[in-house]
Amino acid sequence: MTPEKPATELGKVVNSRHFARLRNLAETSEGQVVCGGAAAGDANSCFLPPTIISRPSLTSPAMTEELFGPLLMVTPVKSLEEAADFVNSRETPLALYVFSGNRKRAEDVIRNTRSGGAMINDTFVHLANPHLPFGGCGESGFGSYHGKWGFEEFSHKRSVLARPLFLDIDRYPPYDNLKLMIVRTAMTVPEMIKSFAAKMMRVFGC
């Protein structure tokens, strides 16, 4: 893949503005280009080859902005715990991808990090699965869509409570001792019921 002979199987950047944006991200990353790179791109055709950059500056735009392009930044860590701490110390990502032949270790990473979505041993295809909710979390967005989740996201769940008028208690001022006793009793009954139900569950081993 060179500017003179780009790979015909790979897509190009959508327009010259985004090509310039991606090229600037690569050039200002302060890391080592392992493959690809801005120099291997072609501004005329907006082709930028898949680019891997090792040890970029953690404060560079390539590590603080969303990329949306064929750029991959690689930052070495000494342990999975350090990797999880690194993810959690930054803005919540839209997706987290874990590659490992050890299922337990992969699940530990997902369990100890926060992200909009997550995948094990693949990337991006969770977006195409209509049976999974897709959406961000925190800085990467809020809410979910796909199937019923999209329907529920744009539906308002209205709370409605109805009670018969004849059960109304005199709960309005002025308050005397009888009214206070009625109100206190009404407030403690739900807790008494929950406490009784919990005791019965323990008795019958539920």
Side-chain angles (χ1 to χ4, degrees):
M1 293 180 295
T2 65
E4 294 78 20
K5 190 178 180 180
T8 56
E9 296 85 2
L10 298 177
K12 300 175 182 179
V13 181
V14 64
N15 56 40
S16 58
R17 180 170 65 88
H18 281 289
F19 177 86
R21 177 184 64 83
L22 292 168
R23 180 171 59 185
N24 181 67
L25 289 174
E27 292 176 341
T28 60
S29 67
E30 301 179 30
Q32 178 185 359
V33 177
V34 178
C35 72
D42 179 23
N44 293 326
S45 63
C46 293
F47 175 76
L48 186 67
T51 297
I52 299 176
I53 298 177
S54 176
R55 299 178 183 273
S57 169
L58 300 184
T59 58
S60 67
M63 289 295 292
T64 57
E65 299 178 8
E66 292 182 304
L67 302 180
F68 291 111
L71 303 178
L72 177 64
M73 305 294 149
V74 179
T75 300
V77 293
K78 297 179 180 179
S79 65
L80 287 180
E81 291 75 17
E82 184 180 344
D85 290 342
F86 178 82
V87 172
N88 293 330
S89 68
R90 306 173 78 83
E91 292 186 354
T92 305
L94 180 60
L96 174 73
Y97 305 126
V98 184
F99 290 84
S100 175
N102 187 315
R103 182 82 177 193
K104 182 180 183 303
R105 297 183 73 185
E107 291 177 347
D108 284 344
V109 173
I110 292 177
R111 188 179 301 110
N112 292 301
T113 53
R114 190 167 179 254
S115 63
M119 284 199 67
I120 298 176
N121 296 334
D122 209 340
T123 65
F124 197 70
V125 294
H126 66 300
L127 170 60
N129 189 327
H131 304 293
L132 292 175
F134 179 80
C137 179
E139 298 86 350
S140 59
F142 57 90
S144 300
Y145 69 95
H146 277 178
K148 69 172 184 177
W149 294 279
F151 180 83
E152 291 177 350
E153 190 66 37
F154 292 99
S155 300
H156 172 65
K157 300 177 180 65
R158 182 172 62 164
S159 299
V160 178
L161 185 148
R163 61 172 180 79
L165 291 173
F166 64 84
L167 289 179
D168 194 17
I169 61 174
D170 191 359
R171 52 185 172 167
Y172 309 103
Y175 297 110
D176 54 25
N177 290 335
L178 177 60
K179 285 185 180 181
L180 290 174
M181 182 189 70
I182 294 174
V183 171
R184 289 189 179 118
T185 301
M187 293 176 64
T188 56
V189 164
E191 291 300 322
M192 293 170 60
I193 294 175
K194 286 195 294 184
S195 176
F196 176 76
K199 289 179 180 178
M200 290 299 100
M201 290 176 69
R202 287 195 295 268
V203 168
F204 292 102
C206 300

PDB file of all heavy atoms in Angstrom, residues 155-171:
ATOM      1  N   SER A 155     -39.912   6.216  24.127  1.00  0.00           N
ATOM      2  CA  SER A 155     -41.242   6.121  24.718  1.00  0.00           C
ATOM      3  C   SER A 155     -41.199   6.696  26.132  1.00  0.00           C
ATOM      4  O   SER A 155     -40.228   6.506  26.859  1.00  0.00           O
ATOM      5  CB  SER A 155     -41.712   4.658  24.776  1.00  0.00           C
ATOM      6  OG  SER A 155     -41.767   4.093  23.484  1.00  0.00           O
ATOM      7  N   HIS A 156     -42.254   7.389  26.489  1.00  0.00           N
ATOM      8  CA  HIS A 156     -42.331   7.953  27.840  1.00  0.00           C
ATOM      9  C   HIS A 156     -43.115   7.020  28.746  1.00  0.00           C
ATOM     10  O   HIS A 156     -44.245   6.635  28.436  1.00  0.00           O
ATOM     11  CB  HIS A 156     -43.016   9.319  27.812  1.00  0.00           C
ATOM     12  CG  HIS A 156     -43.289   9.866  29.175  1.00  0.00           C
ATOM     13  ND1 HIS A 156     -42.274  10.211  30.049  1.00  0.00           N
ATOM     14  CD2 HIS A 156     -44.451  10.101  29.827  1.00  0.00           C
ATOM     15  CE1 HIS A 156     -42.796  10.644  31.180  1.00  0.00           C
ATOM     16  NE2 HIS A 156     -44.121  10.585  31.079  1.00  0.00           N
ATOM     17  N   LYS A 157     -42.504   6.625  29.847  1.00  0.00           N
ATOM     18  CA  LYS A 157     -43.166   5.769  30.822  1.00  0.00           C
ATOM     19  C   LYS A 157     -43.846   6.670  31.859  1.00  0.00           C
ATOM     20  O   LYS A 157     -43.189   7.230  32.736  1.00  0.00           O
ATOM     21  CB  LYS A 157     -42.144   4.832  31.486  1.00  0.00           C
ATOM     22  CG  LYS A 157     -41.444   3.915  30.500  1.00  0.00           C
ATOM     23  CD  LYS A 157     -40.390   3.069  31.197  1.00  0.00           C
ATOM     24  CE  LYS A 157     -39.679   2.159  30.230  1.00  0.00           C
ATOM     25  NZ  LYS A 157     -38.882   2.913  29.233  1.00  0.00           N
ATOM     26  N   ARG A 158     -45.144   6.844  31.705  1.00  0.00           N
ATOM     27  CA  ARG A 158     -45.882   7.748  32.586  1.00  0.00           C
ATOM     28  C   ARG A 158     -46.399   7.009  33.813  1.00  0.00           C
ATOM     29  O   ARG A 158     -47.034   5.961  33.703  1.00  0.00           O
ATOM     30  CB  ARG A 158     -47.054   8.375  31.824  1.00  0.00           C
ATOM     31  CG  ARG A 158     -47.834   9.377  32.675  1.00  0.00           C
ATOM     32  CD  ARG A 158     -48.863  10.118  31.858  1.00  0.00           C
ATOM     33  NE  ARG A 158     -49.876   9.234  31.299  1.00  0.00           N
ATOM     34  CZ  ARG A 158     -51.048   9.679  30.818  1.00  0.00           C
ATOM     35  NH1 ARG A 158     -51.308  10.971  30.817  1.00  0.00           N
ATOM     36  NH2 ARG A 158     -51.926   8.835  30.321  1.00  0.00           N
ATOM     37  N   SER A 159     -46.125   7.554  34.976  1.00  0.00           N
ATOM     38  CA  SER A 159     -46.598   6.954  36.224  1.00  0.00           C
ATOM     39  C   SER A 159     -48.012   7.441  36.528  1.00  0.00           C
ATOM     40  O   SER A 159     -48.287   8.650  36.482  1.00  0.00           O
ATOM     41  CB  SER A 159     -45.667   7.326  37.384  1.00  0.00           C
ATOM     42  OG  SER A 159     -44.360   6.848  37.139  1.00  0.00           O
ATOM     43  N   VAL A 160     -48.903   6.514  36.821  1.00  0.00           N
ATOM     44  CA  VAL A 160     -50.283   6.852  37.173  1.00  0.00           C
ATOM     45  C   VAL A 160     -50.667   6.072  38.418  1.00  0.00           C
ATOM     46  O   VAL A 160     -50.506   4.849  38.473  1.00  0.00           O
ATOM     47  CB  VAL A 160     -51.262   6.502  36.028  1.00  0.00           C
ATOM     48  CG1 VAL A 160     -52.699   6.821  36.454  1.00  0.00           C
ATOM     49  CG2 VAL A 160     -50.900   7.259  34.765  1.00  0.00           C
ATOM     50  N   LEU A 161     -51.134   6.764  39.438  1.00  0.00           N
ATOM     51  CA  LEU A 161     -51.586   6.122  40.678  1.00  0.00           C
ATOM     52  C   LEU A 161     -53.035   6.520  40.920  1.00  0.00           C
ATOM     53  O   LEU A 161     -53.394   7.694  40.799  1.00  0.00           O
ATOM     54  CB  LEU A 161     -50.703   6.547  41.845  1.00  0.00           C
ATOM     55  CG  LEU A 161     -50.958   5.867  43.196  1.00  0.00           C
ATOM     56  CD1 LEU A 161     -49.656   5.734  43.975  1.00  0.00           C
ATOM     57  CD2 LEU A 161     -51.974   6.638  44.035  1.00  0.00           C
ATOM     58  N   ALA A 162     -53.876   5.555  41.220  1.00  0.00           N
ATOM     59  CA  ALA A 162     -55.289   5.833  41.488  1.00  0.00           C
ATOM     60  C   ALA A 162     -55.687   5.204  42.813  1.00  0.00           C
ATOM     61  O   ALA A 162     -55.208   4.121  43.163  1.00  0.00           O
ATOM     62  CB  ALA A 162     -56.152   5.278  40.355  1.00  0.00           C
ATOM     63  N   ARG A 163     -56.541   5.897  43.552  1.00  0.00           N
ATOM     64  CA  ARG A 163     -57.026   5.357  44.810  1.00  0.00           C
ATOM     65  C   ARG A 163     -58.474   5.795  44.994  1.00  0.00           C
ATOM     66  O   ARG A 163     -58.903   6.840  44.472  1.00  0.00           O
ATOM     67  CB  ARG A 163     -56.186   5.853  45.989  1.00  0.00           C
ATOM     68  CG  ARG A 163     -56.212   7.354  46.151  1.00  0.00           C
ATOM     69  CD  ARG A 163     -55.529   7.795  47.431  1.00  0.00           C
ATOM     70  NE  ARG A 163     -55.574   9.246  47.570  1.00  0.00           N
ATOM     71  CZ  ARG A 163     -56.651   9.916  47.986  1.00  0.00           C
ATOM     72  NH1 ARG A 163     -57.757   9.261  48.268  1.00  0.00           N
ATOM     73  NH2 ARG A 163     -56.622  11.227  48.083  1.00  0.00           N
ATOM     74  N   PRO A 164     -59.264   5.017  45.721  1.00  0.00           N
ATOM     75  CA  PRO A 164     -60.666   5.404  45.950  1.00  0.00           C
ATOM     76  C   PRO A 164     -60.749   6.582  46.921  1.00  0.00           C
ATOM     77  O   PRO A 164     -59.945   6.701  47.850  1.00  0.00           O
ATOM     78  CB  PRO A 164     -61.279   4.139  46.550  1.00  0.00           C
ATOM     79  CG  PRO A 164     -60.130   3.395  47.135  1.00  0.00           C
ATOM     80  CD  PRO A 164     -58.951   3.694  46.254  1.00  0.00           C
ATOM     81  N   LEU A 165     -61.719   7.442  46.709  1.00  0.00           N
ATOM     82  CA  LEU A 165     -61.855   8.628  47.555  1.00  0.00           C
ATOM     83  C   LEU A 165     -62.250   8.291  48.980  1.00  0.00           C
ATOM     84  O   LEU A 165     -61.866   8.982  49.927  1.00  0.00           O
ATOM     85  CB  LEU A 165     -62.893   9.579  46.941  1.00  0.00           C
ATOM     86  CG  LEU A 165     -62.485  10.252  45.633  1.00  0.00           C
ATOM     87  CD1 LEU A 165     -63.659  11.027  45.059  1.00  0.00           C
ATOM     88  CD2 LEU A 165     -61.304  11.189  45.885  1.00  0.00           C
ATOM     89  N   PHE A 166     -63.004   7.200  49.158  1.00  0.00           N
ATOM     90  CA  PHE A 166     -63.518   6.916  50.505  1.00  0.00           C
ATOM     91  C   PHE A 166     -62.430   6.433  51.458  1.00  0.00           C
ATOM     92  O   PHE A 166     -62.659   6.335  52.651  1.00  0.00           O
ATOM     93  CB  PHE A 166     -64.658   5.898  50.444  1.00  0.00           C
ATOM     94  CG  PHE A 166     -64.251   4.535  49.936  1.00  0.00           C
ATOM     95  CD1 PHE A 166     -63.702   3.592  50.782  1.00  0.00           C
ATOM     96  CD2 PHE A 166     -64.417   4.214  48.589  1.00  0.00           C
ATOM     97  CE1 PHE A 166     -63.329   2.344  50.314  1.00  0.00           C
ATOM     98  CE2 PHE A 166     -64.039   2.969  48.119  1.00  0.00           C
ATOM     99  CZ  PHE A 166     -63.501   2.031  48.974  1.00  0.00           C
ATOM    100  N   LEU A 167     -61.224   6.105  50.925  1.00  0.00           N
ATOM    101  CA  LEU A 167     -60.146   5.669  51.810  1.00  0.00           C
ATOM    102  C   LEU A 167     -59.234   6.818  52.234  1.00  0.00           C
ATOM    103  O   LEU A 167     -58.236   6.599  52.893  1.00  0.00           O
ATOM    104  CB  LEU A 167     -59.305   4.585  51.123  1.00  0.00           C
ATOM    105  CG  LEU A 167     -59.980   3.223  50.964  1.00  0.00           C
ATOM    106  CD1 LEU A 167     -59.032   2.259  50.251  1.00  0.00           C
ATOM    107  CD2 LEU A 167     -60.389   2.662  52.320  1.00  0.00           C
ATOM    108  N   ASP A 168     -59.570   8.022  51.857  1.00  0.00           N
ATOM    109  CA  ASP A 168     -58.723   9.157  52.197  1.00  0.00           C
ATOM    110  C   ASP A 168     -58.752   9.391  53.705  1.00  0.00           C
ATOM    111  O   ASP A 168     -59.797   9.316  54.344  1.00  0.00           O
ATOM    112  CB  ASP A 168     -59.214  10.411  51.464  1.00  0.00           C
ATOM    113  CG  ASP A 168     -58.185  11.523  51.521  1.00  0.00           C
ATOM    114  OD1 ASP A 168     -57.011  11.211  51.818  1.00  0.00           O
ATOM    115  OD2 ASP A 168     -58.549  12.679  51.279  1.00  0.00           O
ATOM    116  N   ILE A 169     -57.551   9.658  54.267  1.00  0.00           N
ATOM    117  CA  ILE A 169     -57.483   9.964  55.690  1.00  0.00           C
ATOM    118  C   ILE A 169     -57.309  11.468  55.852  1.00  0.00           C
ATOM    119  O   ILE A 169     -56.856  12.157  54.941  1.00  0.00           O
ATOM    120  CB  ILE A 169     -56.309   9.228  56.370  1.00  0.00           C
ATOM    121  CG1 ILE A 169     -54.980   9.661  55.735  1.00  0.00           C
ATOM    122  CG2 ILE A 169     -56.487   7.729  56.283  1.00  0.00           C
ATOM    123  CD1 ILE A 169     -53.778   9.084  56.440  1.00  0.00           C
ATOM    124  N   ASP A 170     -57.691  11.943  57.000  1.00  0.00           N
ATOM    125  CA  ASP A 170     -57.574  13.377  57.258  1.00  0.00           C
ATOM    126  C   ASP A 170     -56.112  13.696  57.548  1.00  0.00           C
ATOM    127  O   ASP A 170     -55.666  13.670  58.688  1.00  0.00           O
ATOM    128  CB  ASP A 170     -58.472  13.761  58.448  1.00  0.00           C
ATOM    129  CG  ASP A 170     -58.587  15.274  58.582  1.00  0.00           C
ATOM    130  OD1 ASP A 170     -57.957  15.986  57.769  1.00  0.00           O
ATOM    131  OD2 ASP A 170     -59.268  15.734  59.497  1.00  0.00           O
ATOM    132  N   ARG A 171     -55.338  13.978  56.512  1.00  0.00           N
ATOM    133  CA  ARG A 171     -53.898  14.181  56.643  1.00  0.00           C
ATOM    134  C   ARG A 171     -53.492  15.642  56.530  1.00  0.00           C
ATOM    135  O   ARG A 171     -52.328  15.959  56.337  1.00  0.00           O
ATOM    136  CB  ARG A 171     -53.181  13.378  55.555  1.00  0.00           C
ATOM    137  CG  ARG A 171     -53.714  13.657  54.168  1.00  0.00           C
ATOM    138  CD  ARG A 171     -53.111  12.796  53.109  1.00  0.00           C
ATOM    139  NE  ARG A 171     -53.814  12.990  51.847  1.00  0.00           N
ATOM    140  CZ  ARG A 171     -53.369  12.560  50.665  1.00  0.00           C
ATOM    141  NH1 ARG A 171     -52.225  11.915  50.603  1.00  0.00           N
ATOM    142  NH2 ARG A 171     -54.075  12.769  49.579  1.00  0.00           N
TER     143      ARG A 171
END
